Amino acid sequence: MSTNGSVSEWWRSAVIYQVYIRSFADSDGDGLGDINGIRSRLPHLVDLGVDAIWINPWYPSPMADAGYDVSNYRDVEPRFGTLAEAKSLIDEAHALGLRVVLDIVPNHTSDHHPWFVEALAAEQDSAARGRYLFAEGQGEAGEHEPNDWRSAFGGPAWTRVMQSDGTPGQWYLHLFAPEQPDLNWNNTEVRAEFESILRFWFDRGVDGFRIDVAHSLTKQDGFPDVGQRPVVSADGEWRDHPHWDRDDVHDVYRSWRAVADSYSRPRVFVAEAWVEQPHRLARYLRPDELHTAFNFDYLRAPWLAAPLQATIDATLVQHAAVGAPPTWVLSNHDVARHPSRYARVQTSNPPFTLDGLLGHPGDFELGLKRARAAALLTLALPGSAYIYQGEELGLAEVEDLAESVLQDPTWKRSGHTLRGRDGCRVPIPWSGTQSPFGFSPPHASSPPWLPQPVSWGAVSAEVLGTEPDSMLALYRAALLIRRTHPGLGDGPLRWIDMAPGALAFERGQGFVCVVNLSAAPVVVPADTLITLASGPLTVNGDIPPDVALWVQRGSPSASAS
Ligand code: GLC
């Protein structure tokens, strides 16, 4: 964490490492990552220099959507460990100076959750069904879905249930898989339950929550069709949508903020909200709502100077308006890894899923070069940043998993037309020359839950840790500078004029970042000292295309911010 910003507001400057638990480290050899695996690899995260970890859902789950179908919010999935091990992890992380952020899934439960089991067994209009969103079907016998809403994984967002007499009855809403029934956030019991769940984990020392699909909790009464209407009209004005980013969802977060603020040590939230415009995102970050939100506009921006700068500017303006720190993220468990995205020809609205990339040839060396530059850009921007596990190893998307191993519900729900997100979820390589590359212990009983590319022995943490020019070395060096330079983290940014196609900005205390997104070399700013470079300079000492530099004007302590 930068020294800029008080310790009590650590989240304004934090670098948060995303631990995708299934694929991080497997301690017991069942091929699935687990809590003890995370505990064993905490030293890697300390060496890397991050401030916090965000762990994807670890609750008991039938795993219809890799843990985003929770059947008990107050326990831990046995395949991941125990509640006691979870507590040990939290304590050990804290002892090492790492904060721990969990993932809460409030839009839907698992269909195995006791509430949903009860709802299915209950009558229509019962209190048990009132916790979810049941509706009558259309058509004479209610045989058609209640409306045109679609599941994010493909197909209709409604599934019909059987009544106790064996005849078809009502339909229930699931914006994701049928195994993920949507909760009714107009129901006071639902609201009280989630506040209690937050307290359960806060009481165990958890520092915050990432809120899964934070923008979808509330739905419009009467469930009107989405129809053809654009969410954003031609004149750029926001239009009401029946189930995304509705204004009444903010009430939920005001009460959650009150729960977090009732603790003396700060507890924080980060929203996963895929919204259409930066000012809609900022609404989640008003002072009495959430602390931070993922900046998916940045993740989706092309590797092109003008749109990237426009995204950064819009982010800064909209976050400043509500006093919230921006965040920056390049990859996560839902999108194709960014070296593979940057390997493709860049267009104004580039695809960010593997299915969008397939068919577009990639230059993977170029993608990696850009990813190195993007790391320096990301870590120099004001606010907080996220690193998705394996990003520090420069891992590429695994684009050629055999169809027989695909597990993302998207694959099935799309009628085997979309491969989905498994390519960014492959268990990461730690050491050794063959799979499981230290992910699982020797003599494991099962192979990793997704097969690892044979080439990953060359990019394990062990190998990269010894190479001075590796991606891992770059991340470690950048994070070390970030932790100690008073101009980094939260704070102002001032653009500097550069050659067209290059971006340069100054932070406090003489820190300057230059990123060359043009096709020609650019000159290093005068009177500066290079502190870090994402790649070698040209023979003339200029910055080649797709290379970023961190440079220093004067000495950090001597110059004014
Ligand atoms: C979020 C998660 C994603 C999950 C979905 C449904 O987008 O990041 O992995 O499938 O929510 O819970």
Side-chain angles (χ1 to χ4, degrees):
M1 189 192 342
S2 152
T3 48
N4 188 353
S6 74
V7 172
S8 67
E9 296 207 330
W10 62 271
W11 42 273
R12 298 189 73 93
S13 297
V15 176
I16 302 176
Y17 184 97
Q18 179 185 353
V19 174
Y20 191 64
I21 182 168
R22 308 166 65 82
S23 304
F24 186 66
D26 164 27
S27 72
D28 59 6
D30 65 353
L32 198 65
D34 48 43
I35 290 176
N36 285 342
I38 303 175
R39 291 169 71 189
S40 75
R41 296 294 183 183
L42 288 177
H44 170 78
L45 303 177
V46 172
D47 289 347
L48 185 59
V50 298
D51 304 300
I53 54 175
W54 148 40
I55 306 169
N56 290 90
W58 63 13
Y59 316 103
S61 167
M63 302 290 169
D65 182 21
Y68 282 96
D69 47 323
V70 179
S71 55
N72 178 359
Y73 291 82
R74 293 187 183 79
D75 204 349
V76 165
E77 163 64 32
R79 283 171 283 181
F80 291 150
T82 64
L83 206 48
E85 287 164 0
K87 179 71 178 125
S88 299
L89 167 61
I90 296 165
D91 293 345
E92 288 162 13
H94 284 167
L96 292 168
L98 296 169
R99 276 148 170 131
V100 179
V101 174
L102 298 187
D103 202 322
I104 191 155
V105 189
N107 180 67
H108 43 263
T109 67
S110 159
D111 60 342
H112 289 215
H113 190 285
W115 273 5
F116 194 68
V117 173
E118 194 187 336
L120 286 190
E123 297 301 318
Q124 294 188 191
D125 303 323
S126 58
R129 288 212 173 172
R131 298 177 185 128
Y132 292 88
L133 295 168
F134 284 83
E136 302 303 324
Q138 301 187 77
E140 259 172 46
E143 70 277 23
H144 300 303
E145 289 90 16
N147 65 22
D148 67 354
W149 296 4
R150 307 286 296 169
S151 152
F153 298 142
W158 298 92
T159 291
R160 198 168 192 188
V161 301
M162 288 293 168
Q163 309 188 92
S164 49
D165 64 4
T167 59
Q170 291 182 304
W171 300 72
Y172 70 88
L173 178 70
H174 50 86
L175 290 181
F176 294 88
E179 296 87 350
Q180 295 167 296
D182 278 48
L183 286 162
N184 173 10
W185 277 86
N186 280 331
N187 181 296
T188 50
E189 207 184 337
V190 169
R191 292 198 179 211
E193 171 68 355
F194 274 85
E195 289 179 23
S196 157
I197 292 164
L198 294 177
R199 288 184 188 282
F200 177 88
W201 291 103
F202 285 154
D203 290 345
R204 279 158 185 74
V206 163
D207 298 281
F209 279 97
R210 176 253 191 199
I211 305 170
D212 190 57
V213 281
H215 56 308
S216 69
L217 271 49
T218 56
K219 280 85 184 178
Q220 190 170 347
D221 285 345
F223 306 135
D225 282 350
V226 172
Q228 299 302 315
R229 61 182 148 165
V231 172
V232 182
S233 67
D235 56 7
E237 272 312 298
W238 172 254
R239 290 222 181 120
D240 217 17
H241 188 280
H243 63 72
W244 294 133
D245 194 22
R246 296 189 56 72
D247 287 346
D248 52 1
V249 78
H250 295 278
D251 295 341
V252 174
Y253 301 128
R254 287 191 194 98
S255 50
W256 285 24
R257 179 61 178 255
V259 173
D261 286 352
S262 70
Y263 289 80
S264 53
R265 194 162 54 75
R267 311 300 163 109
V268 301
F269 295 110
V270 52
E272 187 218 16
W274 294 84
V275 298
E276 292 299 323
Q277 295 168 316
H279 80 270
R280 295 296 299 186
L281 190 66
R283 292 164 61 84
Y284 290 80
L285 305 175
R286 290 173 289 197
D288 59 346
E289 296 192 41
L290 305 175
H291 304 74
T292 54
F294 290 105
N295 183 354
F296 294 127
D297 287 345
Y298 181 67
L299 181 152
R300 286 183 281 194
W303 187 251
L304 296 171
L308 202 49
Q309 184 171 15
T311 301
I312 293 168
D313 273 337
T315 300
L316 296 177
V317 167
Q318 295 299 341
H319 282 70
V322 288
T327 71
W328 312 97
V329 60
L330 294 167
S331 282
N332 65 29
H333 65 291
D334 289 329
V335 303
R337 285 184 176 275
H338 60 272
S340 302
R341 304 201 314 266
Y342 294 154
R344 268 65 186 202
V345 171
Q346 298 296 293
T347 56
S348 60
N349 201 5
F352 57 93
T353 63
L354 172 59
D355 291 295
L357 297 182
L358 289 173
H360 298 278
D363 175 343
F364 293 95
E365 208 175 303
L366 179 63
L368 202 58
K369 189 176 181 195
R370 289 174 170 169
R372 292 175 64 93
L376 294 200
L377 170 63
T378 303
L379 294 171
L381 289 168
S384 154
Y386 284 82
I387 296 174
Y388 177 47
Q389 67 176 41
E391 177 178 327
E392 78 279 24
L393 307 177
L395 296 186
E397 181 78 0
V398 182
E399 303 192 9
D400 57 354
L401 286 170
E403 291 181 354
S404 58
V405 304
L406 295 180
Q407 304 205 16
D408 184 344
T410 306
W411 175 239
K412 189 168 151 212
R413 297 275 301 169
S414 68
H416 297 171
T417 58
L418 296 175
R419 298 173 69 91
R421 302 160 294 177
D422 290 324
C424 63
R425 299 176 173 182
V426 174
I428 63 172
W430 291 98
S431 59
T433 53
Q434 57 191 29
S435 183
F437 299 117
F439 166 71
S440 299
H443 316 299
S445 58
S446 301
W449 70 281
L450 286 172
Q452 301 162 301
V454 287
S455 60
W456 275 12
V459 290
S460 71
E462 183 182 59
V463 168
L464 297 195
T466 62
E467 292 176 358
D469 295 328
S470 68
M471 185 70 106
L472 183 55
L474 182 73
Y475 268 84
R476 282 180 178 159
L479 289 169
L480 183 62
I481 294 175
R482 187 182 159 107
R483 285 175 93 82
T484 47
H485 197 296
L488 287 173
D490 198 18
L493 170 153
R494 191 177 64 78
W495 292 106
I496 299 171
D497 275 344
M498 286 292 288
L503 296 182
F505 55 88
E506 183 160 359
R507 301 296 318 277
Q509 305 267 331
F511 178 97
V512 174
C513 176
V514 189
V515 191
N516 186 1
L517 295 108
S518 77
V522 298
V523 179
V524 178
D527 302 324
T528 61
L529 190 71
I530 298 174
T531 52
L532 194 57
S534 71
L537 301 184
T538 67
V539 284
N540 299 330
D542 294 332
I543 313 171
D546 299 306
V547 167
L549 295 190
W550 284 4
V551 301
Q552 179 66 36
R553 285 192 212 282
S555 92
S557 50
S559 55
S561 70

